[in-house]
Amino acid sequence: MNLNYQAGSSPLAARQNFPLASFIIAGAVILAIILAVAFIYKTITNYKNSEKYKQAQQSRPTKFSDVVKFGKAINFSQEEISTLWNVCKLTKINNINYNLKDNNEVYNFFRSGFEEMKKGKKPSEVELFKFFQVFFQVEKAIAQTKFVTSTRFIPLETVVFYITDEGEQFPLRVNSNTKDSFSLEIPEFLDTERRRPKLLVRQRFTFKTTNGLSYNLISRIIRYEKDKEGKPSMIIAHSEDLQAQAQRNFKREFLKETCDFSSLKIKENKIDDEKYYVYSDNIYKGTLSNISAGGCCIQTKLPIKEKQYLTISIPNLGIEEKIVGIIRRTCRLPSGVFALHIQFLRISVESKNKIYALVYKFVL
């Protein structure tokens, strides 16, 4: 038997047909590789979308690459990623990308990291400040993924602020929320014909959810009524007209604490140089109504104008230094006192940490 494997009837014909045969073979090989790669990719994709994969990822320890992925998603710097990685190592948290999904998980994670930090070498004030900053940034990022789409989801006891046309804000408490409307308990001083917001007119409100995100909403007041105990309430139509506010750079704590303040003049705008300070001998008492590491609000009977410098002392909070601040806004409250909204211009890292600890209910 004569087996002829030539691609043609003669050596010359075989040489002429060889490129075509090679092309067909090469094409078949490339097609086989593409199909194999597509099969492997589909298999991997299906596995990564499976519950088995998610459970495996969720239950394994956090790796540095996980922290990098998490940090890049919220625009963390390399320094912030390093701080977050240190907290992960202290807490031994499982994959951070799967186990920090709500406000409670974030709080428990950083609370555990804080307690572990206290067991070892005492962190410096700068390290502690970086820890609190990362805590707030993570908390803010997670909160922004949990949007409220309707007032039907506002829980009872939430404080909702009614905003007047003049910009005044009155805190009201949610005491009922049904499928048709929600109810706000109003203080007696607001329950007068002169002060009551008008019915069926679009009114502005703002509130903050448990995960820390603030919302502006616009709705109409349907009616006023009193509960079984005789407390006045306003009944408000549900609204989907909600707008999430850009969050502040610092988390606030609402309180009622005595503080001292006095006026201050700064020569040549040298805020960072105390030798240019001219202190007043007059010291006044005020009531601290909220505070953050970036500023505070003081209530006083004094009608102090905006853009004035102050020094603030809060010894009851363990803050001994005189904080330097500037009044950014002054508004008169219904009670007749003035609310001074103050931005801190000069405050030590140690005092900032004390405020952060107060806000997060940590013990330094």
Side-chain angles (χ1 to χ4, degrees):
M1 181 181 294
N2 183 19
L3 299 177
N4 185 359
Y5 294 101
Q6 294 180 3
S9 58
S10 68
L12 177 60
R15 285 194 297 271
Q16 290 174 340
N17 292 332
F18 182 75
L20 177 60
S22 299
F23 178 78
I24 293 172
I25 294 171
V29 171
I30 292 172
L31 179 61
I33 292 173
I34 292 174
L35 291 174
V37 170
F39 174 77
I40 294 171
Y41 175 79
K42 185 176 181 180
T43 301
I44 293 174
T45 301
N46 290 339
Y47 174 64
K48 286 188 174 182
N49 290 330
S50 68
E51 287 300 319
K52 183 178 179 181
Y53 175 82
K54 291 179 182 179
Q55 290 174 2
Q57 290 296 309
Q58 188 172 2
S59 59
R60 69 166 174 78
T62 296
K63 298 184 290 188
F64 181 67
S65 58
D66 299 323
V67 179
V68 172
K69 178 181 177 180
F70 185 95
K72 285 184 176 180
I74 56 178
N75 297 318
F76 264 9
S77 66
Q78 190 58 51
E79 185 177 57
E80 289 169 324
I81 289 174
S82 297
T83 299
L84 184 58
W85 172 234
N86 289 335
V87 181
C88 290
K89 289 187 292 183
L90 287 171
T91 60
K92 297 180 174 59
I93 187 176
N94 287 337
N95 194 336
I96 191 174
N97 291 294
Y98 287 81
N99 291 285
L100 287 186
K101 294 298 184 182
D102 60 44
N103 187 60
N104 288 331
E105 289 177 347
V106 172
Y107 182 83
N108 291 335
F109 167 64
F110 280 96
R111 180 62 182 262
S112 177
F114 179 77
E115 295 301 328
E116 290 298 322
M117 285 172 62
K118 290 167 61 177
K119 293 178 182 178
K121 181 182 176 182
K122 184 178 179 181
S124 67
E125 294 293 342
V126 172
E127 290 171 334
L128 193 57
F129 180 64
K130 290 178 181 178
F131 167 86
F132 281 125
Q133 283 187 308
V134 168
F135 183 178
F136 178 63
Q137 294 302 325
V138 171
E139 186 180 54
K140 185 166 65 171
I142 297 299
Q144 290 172 339
T145 66
K146 307 292 182 181
F147 290 107
V148 175
T149 57
S150 170
T151 54
R152 290 180 175 86
F153 302 111
I154 301 178
L156 299 180
E157 303 299 325
T158 299
V159 176
V160 177
F161 289 86
Y162 160 62
I163 306 174
T164 68
D165 293 337
E166 293 75 29
E168 293 179 298
Q169 297 188 13
F170 300 98
L172 315 174
R173 183 178 60 85
V174 178
N175 56 15
S176 175
N177 196 340
T178 67
K179 66 177 182 178
D180 299 317
S181 61
F182 67 104
S183 172
L184 298 178
E185 182 181 314
I186 60 178
E188 292 185 2
F189 71 82
L190 194 60
D191 187 35
T192 64
E193 290 296 328
R194 186 173 65 87
R195 289 191 174 276
R196 276 183 177 180
K198 295 180 180 179
L199 295 176
L200 304 178
V201 176
R202 288 164 62 87
Q203 305 287 355
R204 294 188 301 151
F205 302 87
T206 183
F207 69 95
K208 180 179 289 187
T209 60
T210 55
N211 61 19
L213 197 61
S214 296
Y215 292 85
N216 290 325
L217 76 93
I218 297 177
S219 189
R220 302 176 192 272
I221 302 170
I222 302 172
R223 65 183 184 275
Y224 291 97
E225 63 180 32
K226 294 188 177 181
D227 60 18
K228 295 178 181 179
E229 299 177 356
K231 295 180 179 178
S233 299
M234 63 172 64
I235 311 303
I236 302 175
H238 279 306
S239 173
E240 279 73 45
D241 189 6
L242 306 181
Q243 293 183 336
Q245 294 180 346
Q247 287 194 302
R248 297 170 180 264
N249 294 323
F250 301 96
K251 188 169 183 175
R252 292 181 295 171
E253 172 69 4
F254 293 90
L255 69 169
K256 192 174 182 180
E257 191 63 66
T258 301
C259 66
D260 298 326
F261 66 94
S262 61
S263 63
L264 175 72
K265 290 185 179 180
I266 301 178
K267 295 180 179 180
E268 302 179 27
N269 292 323
K270 300 288 186 178
I271 294 171
D272 294 327
D273 195 336
E274 194 170 353
K275 70 181 182 182
Y276 290 94
Y277 292 178
V278 179
Y279 292 95
S280 170
D281 293 329
N282 298 320
I283 299 176
Y284 305 97
K285 293 288 183 182
T287 300
L288 196 68
S289 59
N290 71 64
I291 190 170
S292 74
C296 68
C297 179
I298 294 176
Q299 293 184 10
T300 175
K301 294 181 179 180
L302 302 174
I304 306 177
K305 296 181 180 180
E306 299 170 356
K307 297 183 180 180
Q308 294 195 50
Y309 295 103
L310 298 176
T311 60
I312 305 127
S313 299
I314 322 169
N316 291 347
L317 298 184
I319 298 175
E320 303 298 333
E321 72 170 310
K322 289 185 177 180
I323 301 170
V324 175
I326 185 172
I327 302 174
R328 291 301 186 189
R329 186 165 65 92
T330 298
C331 61
R332 185 168 186 168
L333 303 178
S335 59
V337 302
F338 294 87
L340 312 179
H341 298 271
I342 299 165
Q343 177 189 356
F344 294 154
L345 299 178
R346 184 177 180 182
I347 179 174
S348 68
V349 174
E350 181 181 2
S351 293
K352 286 183 179 181
N353 288 336
K354 289 180 179 179
I355 295 171
Y356 265 125
L358 171 71
V359 170
Y360 286 113
K361 309 295 189 296
F362 288 0
V363 178
L364 292 174

